[in-house]
Amino acid sequence: MNKYNSTLLLLLSLLFVTSSCSSTFNQLMKTDDYDFKYEAAKEYFTEGKYTKAATLLQEVVNMNKGTDKGEENLYMLGMAEFCLKDYEASSEYFKKYASSYPKGIYVENAYYYYAQSLYNSTPEVALDQSDTYSAIKAFQEYIDLFPESKLKETAQQKLFVLQDKLVQKELLNAKLYYDLGPYFGNCSSGTENNYESCIITAQNALKDYPYTSYREEFSLLIMKSKYALANQSVEEKKLDRYRDAEDECYGFINEYPDSKEKETALKYIAHCKKYLKD
């Protein structure tokens, strides 16, 4: 057999197999034998063919509800969607499983993968972090319900990552306020200008996340904002604000004596002292 004929035979063989598999799946979709569909779905799942498994499992999930197969069906559907990276769908199925089978054999995994699905759906730091809060809540619930779980440590690490994302979001907000400076068109309600908004945002972040690795960056923004606020204040407010800025600079140096911004703090102190003496 020459090379051309060998290649042609191989292509025809592959075409036959593909056509046969496609034909089998199409027949499964058309049949009313839901038990047969379910068993085929399990086989596809085992083989890692999650798209076909999920399609068939969706077909039979309502039919299996309330039966011995219902619990396994719903959990397997959630896992198939998770493996397909459709985290919105998987989170819904895992959530439904947990509420439908609170004492089910897969309930611990369902809670974990519900949280993991939300975790995988969290957005970039610059975007709205509502999904991050939801993922934190889900992981915390998992840890509370299953304190002896083998995945507890992994869940805790995921919590730290999510919390760090919230800290980064607050840092971005504080930096934005500082960069906007005295621009009044973007001032928060109840604040005199954006420097004041920066101070409040950074102080709240340090209060909520006292052990954050971004602590120095928040402290620097507070110091710079207080100094800038004093500089641009009306005369009757300058004295108190320069005193406050000076205290903040000393506090920054005491907490971060080796900071690269120490010279900045010293420069601010000298300027504050000059005004306070005058």
Side-chain angles (χ1 to χ4, degrees):
M1 183 181 294
N2 61 37
K3 184 177 179 182
Y4 174 79
N5 289 336
S6 297
T7 302
L8 181 60
L9 182 60
L10 177 60
L11 289 173
L12 288 172
S13 298
L14 290 172
L15 181 61
F16 174 78
V17 171
T18 304
S19 176
S20 176
C21 291
S22 176
S23 176
T24 300
F25 184 73
N26 289 335
Q27 289 173 356
L28 282 168
M29 289 297 295
K30 293 176 181 178
T31 184
D32 292 329
D33 189 337
Y34 291 102
D35 289 335
F36 186 55
K37 275 187 177 180
Y38 182 61
E39 292 304 317
K42 290 171 65 175
E43 186 173 345
Y44 280 131
F45 184 87
T46 302
E47 294 172 353
K49 299 175 181 178
Y50 300 117
T51 300
K52 290 181 177 180
T55 302
L56 291 174
L57 289 168
Q58 288 167 356
E59 284 276 313
V60 300
V61 66
N62 289 328
M63 298 299 298
N64 284 335
K65 185 177 181 181
T67 70
D68 294 339
K69 300 174 183 177
E71 180 180 350
E72 183 184 52
N73 192 152
L74 188 56
Y75 176 73
M76 200 168 8
L77 180 53
M79 286 304 303
E81 296 291 4
F82 183 86
C83 292
L84 290 169
K85 299 184 179 182
D86 187 344
Y87 300 121
E88 182 177 355
S90 64
S91 66
E92 288 300 317
Y93 288 127
F94 288 129
K95 183 178 181 180
K96 186 175 181 180
Y97 178 94
S99 62
S100 301
Y101 306 99
K103 295 184 179 181
I105 59 175
Y106 306 108
V107 69
E108 182 179 328
N109 279 357
Y111 270 99
Y112 179 83
Y113 281 105
Y114 168 64
Q116 185 65 46
S117 295
L118 296 177
Y119 177 91
N120 290 347
S121 299
T122 54
E124 295 178 6
V125 172
L127 302 177
D128 178 73
Q129 295 300 307
S130 297
D131 289 341
T132 303
Y133 283 104
S134 297
I136 288 174
K137 182 180 178 181
F139 271 122
Q140 190 59 61
E141 185 177 16
Y142 171 77
I143 292 170
D144 292 341
L145 288 173
F146 308 101
E148 305 300 322
S149 170
K150 293 179 180 179
L151 291 173
K152 179 183 177 181
E153 187 174 337
T154 302
Q156 288 174 329
Q157 290 301 319
K158 296 290 174 66
L159 272 177
F160 295 147
V161 172
L162 292 167
Q163 289 170 348
D164 193 57
K165 183 174 283 192
L166 295 181
V167 176
Q168 291 180 57
K169 175 65 173 178
E170 290 306 301
L171 184 58
L172 284 179
N173 289 340
K175 284 180 177 177
L176 177 61
Y177 282 129
Y178 179 78
D179 291 340
L180 287 169
Y183 173 61
F184 290 97
N186 194 60
C187 293
S188 300
S189 176
T191 58
E192 190 171 294
N193 64 31
N194 290 294
Y195 291 128
E196 201 167 14
S197 295
C198 175
I199 294 166
I200 292 170
T201 301
Q203 287 177 334
N204 286 339
L206 289 176
K207 187 184 300 181
D208 293 337
Y209 310 100
Y211 304 110
T212 175
S213 59
Y214 299 100
R215 184 175 181 84
E216 182 177 344
E217 293 182 61
F218 282 115
S219 298
L220 180 63
L221 283 169
I222 294 171
M223 180 183 74
K224 286 185 172 182
S225 293
K226 285 190 175 184
Y227 178 75
L229 190 61
N231 280 337
Q232 59 90 58
S233 292
V234 294
E235 197 59 39
E236 58 265 26
K237 292 184 178 182
K238 279 185 180 290
L239 184 62
D240 287 339
R241 285 182 172 172
Y242 271 120
R243 284 173 177 164
D244 188 27
E246 184 182 25
D247 289 343
E248 193 67 40
C249 290
Y250 278 120
F252 181 84
I253 292 172
N254 288 336
E255 188 168 0
Y256 312 103
D258 299 320
S259 173
K260 294 179 181 179
E261 295 291 341
K262 183 178 180 179
E263 289 302 316
T264 301
L266 290 172
K267 182 180 71 174
Y268 288 172
I269 289 172
H271 188 270
C272 290
K273 285 185 178 298
K274 182 180 179 182
Y275 178 85
L276 294 172
K277 284 181 180 179
D278 294 343

